[in-house]
Amino acid sequence: MLSIKNLKVSINEKEILKGLSLEVNAGEIHAIMGPNGTGKSTLASIIAGRDIFNVDSGEVIYKGKNLLEMAPEVRACDGIFLGFQYPVEIPGVSITNFLRTAMNEQRKYRGLEPITAKEFFAKMEEKKKLVEIHSKLTNRSVNEGFSGGEKKKNEIFQMAMLEPELAILDETDSGLDIDALKIVAKGVNSLRTENNAFIVITHYQRLLDYIVPDFVHVLYEGKIVKTGGKELAFELEEKGYEWLKN
Amino acid sequence: MQPLVKNNILKEKIIGLSRENREDIIGYDTPDITKIREQALSKFVDLGFPDQSVEEWRNTNLDNALSYDYNLAFHPVKKITNIESIFKCNVPHLNTLLLPLLNGWHVFMGEALKTLEDGTIVGSFAHAIKKYPEIIGRHFSKYSGAGKNGLEALNTAIAQDGIFIYVPEGVEVKSPIQIVNIIRPESNIFVQARNLIILGKNSKLTLVHCDDSYNLLPGFSNTVTEVFIGENAKLNHNKLQNINNDSTIINSTYFHQKSNSKLLYNAISLNGGLIRNNTYVKLNGEGCETNILGLYLMDKTQHIDNYTYIDHVKPNCNSKKLFKGILDEKATGVFNGHVHVRRDAQNTNAVQKNQNILLTDTAKIDTKPFLEIYADDVKCSHGATVGQLNTEALFYIRSRGIEERNAELLLMYAFAAEVINHISIDALRDRIDDMVKKRLRGELSVCDQCVLHCSSQEQPVQFDIDMSLLKTNN
């Protein structure tokens, strides 16, 4: 589904990703771990299409297409979703309308009719239950005045509504208490099918107790330096990242 | 049409015409009013048109607007064809009592002044001078003086007609009253309209006030409106401006508030060559509340200037000012917000905010929120922001599948909605909502008829994306 080869990325002439390669297939969950400042969020942003970075070399192929040539909205319409580490506040735009607009834009791209109001609201009710968010929240402006936990749950809620093929969750677990963490995990697990894939970026092994990854990658100084199964996460938790330097 | 003359030539022409047509101008006057007019005319002779050497006009240049060889309208348009279609307001479900002004003259069928069932008097200002000299004598020019600048003085000196509204004590006027001020030049025209609106004690009025131009010839509309809001009275005043790119509107409004009165004033400027709104509010009683909002969406080489002056004379009053603007292409804007808290006005609460989005490098805004405080126990704040659309928010929206242009529209509309949401008449708010969307998409230039003819009733404005649920219910 996603194939990244020898990707080098810089910002303001500072190299962040230094030859990163990653293969993700449908049905898989990949966890990416690593210390601060090693390029985890940059990787997430590059896949979603943030244009503040320079791609110096390498390639990113998604479903056989050159992802780097696609506009962010086209990537979204083609099934990519980024759960933001810091979700942006958009005063004056209600979650309900934001999502309905997004959903219809995506449907238009795929040649589908707009979703009817009835279907949309039914779907919203279902997904709200899944991530346990209050009814009132969806009438409020996107992320405006939300607590940290509400913002992250709102990301998972949007993911549940949009049903992406490839979802990247950028430190969705940071700042969450254990209950919220479980809700996030429940969201991911219930959406998991053999046709979609997840890339879960996290600092802590804790999240991986609830979302069981097929692969754990360690990103260190702009490269994936180690790949293993879920037991690698335990090893990292125990030994810390210092262990990798040797 | 090419500009013909310089503004001092126009000044001499107007003074000359004013003297020639003196009999017509003072035709309805009482001697007191004639006296006020004469003083105002000498003020205009002294001051002339405002120029940029005056601080309040530093960023607004009238030279081009005054360079046309205007004519004055000393008489109402004699034969008006299609009058109903000119003034027909087709906002669905907006039921108003319509008071049309054509080139500064009230257009009426039957009586020039009507008394409604509840005792409210509406109609021609000129006829009101004659019929209600005592009321006019008590209020005319009492809040504006001769006028703060040459243009206002000129209006006081030579404006013959306009709209007169008198709401008696204790009357709550049921349906909104709508003034539609249309300039329809046969040739270039310089129009003076004078409105006087009086709300008695404990009364209540909702007003819709539209400025529009009927064709694409240059017009200059110089309106002065005096509004007296009696004790415990409530006025909800909605102002809409949508004129052609060669037209100029100078709109001066004086609000005089007595104790415990409430004012909600909403000024929406969608289009116009040059618009200057002078809004003066005097809080001359305790416990007043005033809420002044403005939204301006300008492009091409349009210019908008909002000057507001709030005078806190008495204690325990609240005032709030919020002006928001989006400027595109080479549009320019000015915000001058002056809050004056006098020594006796303790416990004043005053907030003023001006927020702007500039869409291009060539758009420009000069913003100056200004506080002048002489009382010591007050709570006042002011702030101004100038920025571009938030790129992080744009990326966030696009990352959900919404294309760039629509993401921009969504952000701009959300920005404007904060002002639109304050419009209390549902039908009007929905229509202005539509107009703003159209305007943001670049589809609305000037309407060919009434200001509100932006789309026909059968075909509501559609965005590519559905924004119907955009309003939030916090």
Side-chain angles (χ1 to χ4, degrees):
Chain A
M1 179 183 276
L2 181 75
S3 169
I4 302 176
K5 289 205 176 94
N6 200 25
L7 185 66
K8 291 186 180 172
V9 170
S10 60
I11 185 166
N12 299 331
E13 297 181 1
K14 187 179 175 248
E15 202 174 24
I16 301 174
L17 297 182
K18 302 169 182 171
L20 181 142
S21 297
L22 179 68
E23 295 285 331
V24 178
N25 298 307
E28 295 174 348
I29 294 182
H30 291 248
I32 294 183
M33 303 181 75
N36 287 327
T38 54
K40 299 192 298 295
S41 288
T42 301
L43 176 63
S45 297
I46 284 285
I47 298 172
R50 186 90 163 105
D51 61 4
I52 55 173
F53 304 98
N54 287 324
V55 176
D56 301 319
S57 66
E59 61 172 26
V60 182
I61 303 296
Y62 171 69
K63 297 201 292 189
K65 287 175 268 191
N66 181 357
L67 190 69
L68 299 175
E69 284 180 353
M70 293 157 73
E73 57 269 28
V74 177
R75 300 182 197 203
C77 291
D78 218 348
I80 288 181
F81 178 90
L82 171 63
F84 282 63
Q85 185 179 2
Y86 304 108
V88 184
E89 297 191 4
I90 311 175
V93 181
S94 75
I95 293 180
T96 303
N97 193 55
F98 178 57
L99 268 177
R100 197 168 158 195
T101 306
M103 197 176 272
N104 282 336
E105 289 275 286
Q106 295 202 9
R107 289 174 71 95
K108 193 165 77 188
Y109 178 85
R110 294 168 199 152
L112 300 171
E113 289 292 307
I115 189 166
T116 65
K118 202 177 155 199
E119 282 173 314
F120 176 79
F121 285 107
K123 187 165 186 166
M124 210 162 73
E125 284 313 307
E126 178 201 330
K127 303 297 185 187
K128 273 199 233 176
K129 280 195 194 111
L130 178 71
V131 294
E132 299 177 26
I133 64 173
H134 301 298
S135 268
K136 279 185 192 157
L137 203 70
T138 46
N139 287 331
R140 282 170 51 187
S141 291
V142 178
N143 295 321
E144 193 185 30
F146 286 21
S147 70
E150 282 172 332
K151 281 183 182 170
K152 296 299 178 72
K153 276 205 269 182
N154 184 27
E155 294 294 289
I156 300 299
F157 172 63
Q158 291 178 46
M159 178 178 81
M161 289 294 287
L162 296 170
E163 299 175 325
E165 285 173 74
L166 175 64
I168 305 121
L169 301 179
D170 189 5
E171 295 197 26
T172 303
D173 56 331
S174 60
L176 289 190
D177 60 33
I178 197 76
D179 291 333
L181 196 71
K182 281 181 186 168
I183 291 168
V184 167
K186 192 170 108 191
V188 172
N189 290 329
S190 70
L191 292 169
R192 186 176 186 183
T193 69
E194 56 189 26
N195 298 319
N196 60 21
F198 293 85
I199 298 174
V200 180
I201 295 171
T202 181
H203 273 296
Y204 310 104
Q205 172 268 331
R206 190 175 72 150
L207 178 68
L208 305 178
D209 287 343
Y210 303 100
I211 302 174
V212 182
D214 300 297
F215 301 94
V216 175
H217 308 278
V218 181
L219 185 55
Y220 188 73
E221 289 186 347
K223 278 182 192 172
I224 288 177
V225 294
K226 203 169 178 67
T227 294
K230 66 172 182 182
E231 63 288 344
L232 180 57
F234 292 104
E235 210 169 344
L236 282 170
E237 187 82 359
E238 204 178 297
K239 297 181 181 169
Y241 293 116
E242 285 297 310
W243 159 66
L244 293 165
K245 287 184 180 170
N246 309 314
Chain B
M1 173 129 204
Q2 287 302 307
L4 292 177
V5 289
K6 292 276 175 224
N7 65 31
N8 55 342
I9 303 178
L10 183 64
K11 179 186 164 191
E12 294 312 319
K13 176 176 176 177
I14 287 176
I15 293 169
L17 285 171
S18 306
R19 289 189 174 133
E20 273 170 44
N21 291 276
R22 187 167 185 274
E23 293 311 309
D24 283 323
I25 294 169
I26 64 167
Y28 289 91
D29 285 3
T30 59
D32 285 347
I33 288 179
T34 304
K35 209 168 149 196
I36 292 170
R37 288 190 188 281
E38 277 163 3
Q39 287 163 356
L41 188 64
S42 11
K43 189 164 181 181
F44 175 67
V45 172
D46 286 350
L47 293 175
F49 293 109
D51 64 42
Q52 289 176 284
S53 65
V54 183
E55 177 61 26
E56 280 95 46
W57 291 82
R58 196 156 59 91
N59 296 306
T60 292
N61 185 340
L62 291 175
D63 285 355
N64 188 50
L66 293 169
S67 67
Y68 295 97
D69 185 22
Y70 291 109
N71 289 307
L72 298 180
F74 290 110
H75 303 279
V77 179
K78 280 209 184 74
K79 201 172 162 222
I80 309 163
T81 46
N82 309 322
I83 179 166
E84 279 173 10
S85 73
I86 294 175
F87 289 106
K88 191 179 152 210
C89 177
N90 77 345
V91 176
H93 314 299
L94 177 63
N95 298 312
T96 60
L97 172 69
L98 195 65
L99 300 174
L101 277 176
L102 184 60
N103 295 348
W105 291 87
H106 178 37
V107 180
F108 53 90
M109 270 166 284
E111 290 170 292
L113 284 160
K114 286 189 199 83
T115 304
L116 310 180
E117 264 176 36
D118 58 18
T120 300
I121 303 164
V122 299
S124 150
F125 171 71
H127 286 80
I129 300 177
K130 210 161 202 180
K131 198 167 172 189
Y132 305 104
E134 200 214 326
I135 299 178
I136 300 285
R138 239 185 296 145
H139 295 283
F140 173 72
S141 191
K142 294 291 176 289
Y143 316 113
S144 63
K148 287 237 170 27
N149 55 57
L151 276 162
E152 291 174 18
L154 177 64
N155 178 290
T156 306
I158 68 170
Q160 293 156 277
D161 200 11
I163 295 297
F164 172 75
I165 300 173
Y166 177 82
V167 186
E169 256 181 50
V171 170
E172 298 194 358
V173 182
K174 277 199 195 82
S175 63
I177 293 180
Q178 182 175 12
I179 302 173
V180 177
N181 179 26
I182 286 181
I183 323 167
R184 190 178 69 161
E186 307 298 330
S187 57
N188 305 342
I189 196 163
F190 196 114
V191 172
Q192 326 285 325
R194 183 83 186 196
N195 304 311
L196 180 60
I197 297 161
I198 298 155
L199 275 79
K201 248 189 222 177
N202 301 314
S203 69
K204 201 174 163 185
L205 176 67
T206 298
L207 198 63
V208 180
H209 193 165
C210 308
D211 282 321
D212 197 10
S213 50
Y214 185 68
N215 59 29
L216 297 175
L217 287 168
F220 194 119
S221 171
N222 178 32
T223 300
V224 174
T225 303
E226 288 181 280
V227 185
F228 174 86
I229 310 173
E231 243 170 79
N232 205 31
K234 291 190 182 80
L235 175 65
N236 182 342
H237 191 154
N238 300 283
K239 179 104 190 135
L240 300 172
Q241 298 175 315
N242 191 31
I243 54 164
N244 74 47
N245 291 328
D246 286 321
S247 284
T248 302
I249 285 188
I250 310 289
N251 173 54
S252 303
T253 311
Y254 287 84
F255 292 103
H256 189 95
Q257 288 187 244
K258 301 299 270 184
S259 28
N260 300 312
S261 63
K262 283 199 174 81
L263 167 67
L264 172 61
Y265 181 64
N266 231 312
I268 314 267
S269 311
L270 296 179
N271 211 72
L274 189 154
I275 297 178
R276 162 85 176 211
N277 291 314
N278 299 313
T279 309
Y280 311 94
V281 183
K282 189 167 190 174
L283 300 170
N284 200 18
E286 289 196 37
C288 294
E289 253 178 55
T290 194
N291 212 336
I292 312 265
L293 296 122
L295 174 68
Y296 43 95
L297 309 173
M298 298 284 133
D299 61 9
K300 301 186 191 77
T301 55
Q302 299 173 351
H303 181 80
I304 174 93
D305 182 347
N306 278 299
Y307 174 87
T308 58
Y309 172 73
I310 298 185
D311 192 0
H312 281 265
V313 181
K314 295 278 159 69
N316 303 315
C317 295
N318 296 332
S319 72
K320 241 193 223 169
K321 237 190 260 179
L322 173 67
F323 279 77
K324 295 184 109 175
I326 301 175
L327 302 173
D328 199 358
E329 296 174 284
K330 291 180 180 169
T332 49
V334 183
F335 173 78
N336 253 308
H338 187 169
V339 173
H340 189 171
V341 182
R342 305 215 179 224
R343 193 185 297 269
D344 289 341
Q346 297 297 359
N347 203 14
T348 286
N349 224 320
V351 181
Q352 62 170 331
K353 245 200 267 182
N354 175 231
Q355 299 177 325
N356 299 283
I357 292 178
L358 302 184
L359 295 176
T360 61
D361 292 343
T362 45
K364 194 179 155 195
I365 178 86
D366 288 288
T367 174
K368 194 174 145 198
F370 178 60
L371 290 169
E372 189 182 351
I373 303 172
Y374 299 99
D376 50 17
D377 184 16
V378 300
K379 217 164 145 184
C380 296
S381 69
H382 62 165
T385 60
V386 180
Q388 285 79 41
L389 291 174
N390 179 342
T391 53
E392 276 186 41
L394 275 177
F395 176 64
Y396 187 81
I397 297 170
R398 291 176 73 191
S399 80
R400 299 301 185 244
I402 298 170
E403 67 164 300
E404 190 173 13
R405 180 67 189 138
N406 283 335
E408 288 171 357
L409 283 172
L410 197 68
L411 283 182
M412 288 193 278
Y413 176 72
F415 175 81
E418 191 183 351
V419 172
I420 301 167
N421 289 346
H422 277 86
I423 299 170
S424 63
I425 309 168
D426 293 345
L428 184 65
R429 186 180 57 242
D430 291 348
R431 178 50 59 96
I432 290 178
D433 222 62
D434 272 358
M435 291 178 77
V436 167
K437 286 170 189 166
K438 265 194 136 181
R439 182 71 176 94
L440 292 173
R441 279 210 309 212
E443 288 170 13
L444 179 72
S445 52
V446 66
C447 305
D448 53 354
Q449 293 178 322
C450 164
V451 67
L452 299 169
H453 279 218
C454 60
S455 64
S456 73
Q457 198 164 336
E458 295 73 32
Q459 291 173 305
V461 183
Q462 296 287 333
F463 249 137
D464 292 341
I465 51 178
D466 178 6
M467 291 192 162
S468 58
L469 299 166
L470 203 67
K471 272 180 245 93
T472 55
N473 304 308
N474 283 327

